[in-house]
Amino acid sequence: MSYEEALKKLKDYGQEHVLAHYGELSETEKENLLTQIEITDFSVLLACKEDKKAAERGEITPLAAMQLPEIEEKREKFQAIGLETIRKGKVGAVLLAGGMGTRLGSDDPKGMYNIGLTKEVYIFQRLIENLMDVVEMSGSWVPLYVMTSDKNHEATVSFLKDKDYFGYNKDYVTFFMQEMAPASDYDGKVYMEEKGKISTSPNGNGGWYSSMYKWGVAEKAMEDGVEYLNVFAVDNVLQRIADPCFVGAVVDGGYAVGAKVVKKCAPDEKIGVICLEDGRPSIVEYYELTQELMNARDEKGDPAYYFGVILNYLFRIADLEKIREKKLPLHVVEKKIPHLDEKGELVKPDAPNGYKFEQLVLDMIHELDGCLPFEVERGREFAPIKNKTGIDSVESARALCKENGIQL
Ligand code: UTP
């Protein structure tokens, strides 16, 4: 893209300041900046002005989950179907590891965090150990697709390589990168990270399938016979991955997607709740849950919106293909964004100073025709690490690992 074309594009979005230091750049830096301008989707910035509209929701009604007693009753059948599906190579696992993990506050990718006490136990290692249980049970390797971002790709790839994939078969591990989105101040003006570089951050976990597709990884998976993808977050160190019982329940019911859910521990717990929205499966974020919805009861007297999602979903690829081109809503998230000030000096803020723009995997659920909310015991399968201490932290996850007999 030429300088003139770049300037025109920037003018269309009111972002001419991006070229303020152009004259001071080397030839290579100039070229890189023009390329970045060419590939950046500035239209996301409009979302900070439209956020209120995006937040309007349809009619929310309850969606019943398949609960533990029913699962227990059918466990043997589900398990058999799930194992058969895995043995046929139809199930892949997708690790969402493109996030910045800012709350944990480590400079390394979150999966490289060592939660061990007497020995090294990395988050990636815990996840792979969990997946290995299924490999042993089924006698077959589950293809593992790892999504990274521009900010952590190299560190993630070299760490897993150095650790010899914690015993996983490297032929079954594939990396792909998600896309980035510009980050802006509160007026929607993009920040500059360097004089020749726009500040960007990963564009949320909702783009995982389109990125997987762009990298040719989804097509290769389909060619290899993979029909289901178990998408999971990097931070839940207890979760079961490619869990045969869950796989069996989703396959047996013919669902487009299954969502692992847990009973909420408090009505205002910070966890998205599974429901129907205008009759279609959906997830209401905790901050969107009104007092009325929190207090609503079903016919048994239980809370009507009782089940929270834990970011562990099983998608049927045939259905993902139908929604691949769909634009998901953009979520505008307040963040601390390092940037250059007017003098061209780098500032690392202590408090949020602008927005990043994200698509979320939970919005994919609403696009699909049928969803099975599948209850799991939270004490056994839900130990997310978001913070260093307190709720959903390294501390709380360590305690839960101990309760489950996992040596740290
Ligand atoms: P979080 O919502 O915890 O976001 O991600 P985060 O960016 O990792 O952490 P904070 O908010 O800055 O502390 C939930 C899951 O989605 C992945 C994360 O890696 C994690 O597994 N994710 C998030 C991505 O893969 N890409 C993204 O752009 C954002």
Side-chain angles (χ1 to χ4, degrees), residues 147-179:
M147 182 168 87
T148 61
S149 74
D150 189 44
K151 305 272 180 195
N152 67 15
H153 183 76
E154 267 149 53
T156 304
V157 173
S158 57
F159 177 75
L160 285 172
K161 202 168 158 215
D162 283 353
K163 298 288 176 191
D164 203 15
Y165 305 88
F166 294 107
Y168 214 72
N169 184 337
K170 72 171 180 348
D171 296 343
Y172 286 83
V173 182
T174 310
F175 296 91
F176 66 98
M177 275 164 85
Q178 69 173 102
E179 267 130 78

Side-chain angles (χ1 to χ4, degrees), residues 58 141 219 241 331 343 362 370 388:
W141 293 99
E219 265 192 310
I241 304 153
H331 295 252
K343 288 182 230 135
L362 54 83
K388 259 202 177 111

Side-chain angles (χ1 to χ4, degrees), residues 96-103 147 178 202 204-205 233-234 311 335 386:
L96 301 176
M100 303 270 279
T102 49
R103 283 170 285 175
M147 182 168 87
Q178 69 173 102
N205 55 29
V234 73
L311 221 177
K335 282 272 161 170
K386 300 287 183 192

Side-chain angles (χ1 to χ4, degrees), residues 71 75 78-79 82 230-231 240-252 257-261 312-315 372-376:
I71 295 170
R75 178 168 295 278
F78 287 158
Q79 187 100 354
N230 184 188
V231 172
R240 310 310 304 165
I241 304 153
D243 169 2
C245 187
F246 178 44
V247 172
V250 174
V251 172
D252 185 53
V257 60
K260 283 201 168 185
V261 294
N312 188 310
Y313 302 101
L314 185 73
F315 289 94
L372 172 70
F374 181 90
E375 186 187 6
V376 296

Side-chain angles (χ1 to χ4, degrees), residues 9 210 233 263 310 356 367 398:
K9 182 172 179 184
S210 62
K263 272 198 188 105
I310 60 169
K356 68 176 195 176
E367 302 299 331
R398 279 184 181 141

